[in-house]
């Protein structure tokens, strides 16, 4: 199994280019099958989640052509199977976007029920409630969702909670329905807007994305287009927090600063300098980080996908901080690993109470999930000594060339896939 070997203590310095947004790409790649014409999508992050979804798209018969590293062409004209196998859903739950896309285009689909994951049970009741509002018959049996409709008719959906996945899935299903669909209490994340913009570039008629009311007027067909995905706000935020943790000076470039506002605001609160350009943000760390409190919220609030990375920064702040997770019920699994690095964090309910320490100490760890894994990496970069992080395939789900980009900033980090190589690297960097 691959692992990272990290020697902490080097402040990160320099510029790093941020890739396309994973959580926009997953909705957009699924949406691309809704036309029989060729769609070219650029700035696709080359990460495990997008690769698996593209395999699922090929699995139902669509044509996928990798133009070059971060661009793909998809043609949904040859789709012959409406059934998305469990093997894909098990690997990446966002394969369920194919349910909305296939329903929208073919009025039927069978998709394996996604299970929970390390951060929570993550039910999909709101997706199903929305499909039913469009006239879809949904039957769940033997771990599969069977959905079909004679025709999809626009409906009015009020989500019981703000849900990114259901907002995207319903935009997909509704854009070819007959009549108007209104989604209320819709998610407003940048990736929601990006999926809506992509669908509109294919000829859909979606208004209000980015607000909590999205109006979709069904059209008869969608056509091919070329589209470039927005930058990944969470990848950018992760490098910004790595600068804070290591007291470095890092510029994240090819970003949309507006999408990073809640992240930048927290960095300023803890004492860092943040300088914004048109498509870059510079973070200058400070010697004495200040404690603060954070509560995760739907956009434009502080993103839950930055919660573990925030805790890693606050673990080094003077005083006691509170981190409250309001989106998922089990997103503190990284706390035990940080405490093994000498941190003093206590979790009670959905709040972590963090008593700042001078410096963490490197040790062996395992990534519990994608963003927790990223948090352990930035903690290890600040720590005294060498750390080994296992189960890094979680991290590779959402970060392209993570260790390579960190090395360009001066990090001492190597990716190894054998104990023998691990020993060699530890001798070299120890
Ligand atoms: C998306 O997950 C992201 N994944 C997550 O990022 C992100 O943490 C999350 O949105 C919140 O921003 C992708 O976009 C692929 P939700 P999603 O539906 O769509 C509950 C990462 O690290 N809920 O907004 O699954 C749900 O349990 C990943 O990149 C229902 O109860 O999240 C959760 O508590 C991790 N019923 C809350 O809503 C439903 O039908 C928000 O979930 C749907 C959701």
């Amino acid at each position: 199994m691959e692992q990272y070997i990290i020697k902490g203590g080097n402040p990160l310095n320099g510029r790093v280019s941020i890739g396309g947004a994973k959580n926009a790409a997953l909705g957009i790649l699924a949406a691309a099958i809704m036309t029989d014409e060729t769609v070219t999508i650029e700035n696709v992050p080359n990460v495990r989640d997008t690769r698996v979804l593209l395999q699922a798209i090929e699995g139902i018969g669509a044509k996928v052509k990798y133009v070059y590293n971060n661009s793909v062409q998809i043609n949904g004209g040859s789709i012959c199977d409406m059934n998305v196998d469990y093997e894909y859903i098990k690997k990446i739950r966002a394969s369920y976007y194919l349910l909305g896309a296939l329903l929208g285009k073919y009025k039927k689909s069978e998709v394996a029920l996604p299970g929970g994951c390390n951060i929570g049970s993550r039910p999909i009741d709101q997706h199903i409630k929305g499909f039913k509002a469009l006239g879809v018959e949904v039957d769940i049996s033997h771990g599969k969702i069977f959905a079909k409709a004679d025709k999809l008719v626009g409906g009015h959906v009020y989500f019981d909670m703000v849900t990114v996945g259901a907002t995207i899935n319903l935009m997909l299903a509704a854009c070819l329905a007959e009549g108007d669909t209104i989604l209320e209490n819709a998610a407003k994340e940048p990736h929601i807007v990006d999926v809506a913009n992509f669908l509109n570039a294919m000829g859909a008629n979606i208004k209000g994305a980015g607000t909590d009311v999205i109006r979709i007027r069904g059209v008869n067909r969608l056509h091919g287009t070329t589209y470039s995905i927005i930058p990944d706000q969470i990848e950018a935020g992760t490098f910004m927090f790595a600068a804070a943790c290591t007291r470095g000076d890092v510029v994240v470039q090819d970003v949309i600063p507006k999408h990073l506002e809640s992240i930048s605001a927290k960095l300023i609160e803890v004492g860092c300098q943040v300088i914004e350009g048109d498509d870059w943000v510079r973070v200058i760390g400070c010697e004495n980080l200040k404690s603060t409190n954070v509560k995760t919220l739907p956009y434009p609030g502080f993103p839950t996908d930055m919660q573990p990375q925030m805790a890693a920064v606050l673990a080094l702040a003077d005083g006691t901080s509170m981190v409250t997770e309001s989106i998922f019920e089990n997103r503190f699994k990284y706390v035990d690993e940080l405490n093994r690095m000498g941190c003093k964090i206590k979790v009670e309910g959905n709040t972590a109470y963090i008593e700042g320490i001078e410096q963490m100490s490197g040790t062996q760890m395992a990534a519990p999930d994608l963003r927790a894994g990223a948090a352990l990496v930035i903690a290890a970069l600040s720590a005294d000594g060498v750390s080994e992080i296992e189960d890094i395939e979680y991290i590779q789900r959402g970060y392209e060339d993570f260790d390579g980009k960190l090395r360009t900033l001066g990090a001492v980090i190597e990716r190894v896939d054998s104990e023998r190589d691990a020993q060699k690297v530890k001798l070299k960097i120890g």
Side-chain angles (χ1 to χ4, degrees), residues 104-126:
K105 187 180 182 183
Y106 300 107
K107 315 292 181 268
K108 66 176 179 176
S109 175
E110 289 176 23
V111 174
L113 257 182
C117 76
N118 291 339
I119 62 175
S121 63
R122 303 180 76 177
I124 60 165
D125 55 300
Q126 301 298 302

Side-chain angles (χ1 to χ4, degrees), residues 370-423:
L370 164 56
R371 306 302 177 184
L376 296 182
V377 170
I378 63 178
L381 291 168
S382 74
D384 171 44
V386 176
S387 295
E388 300 165 51
I389 300 178
E390 294 179 348
D391 299 338
I392 63 170
E393 63 278 3
Y394 280 115
I395 302 171
Q396 292 165 332
R397 292 186 56 171
Y399 292 91
E400 183 176 348
D401 190 25
F402 194 39
D403 51 302
K405 290 186 176 185
L406 285 167
R407 275 192 298 275
T408 61
L409 296 172
V412 180
I413 177 172
E414 294 292 339
R415 179 157 44 95
V416 297
D417 57 6
S418 71
E419 198 42 49
R420 185 165 166 276
D421 287 348
Q423 293 309 326

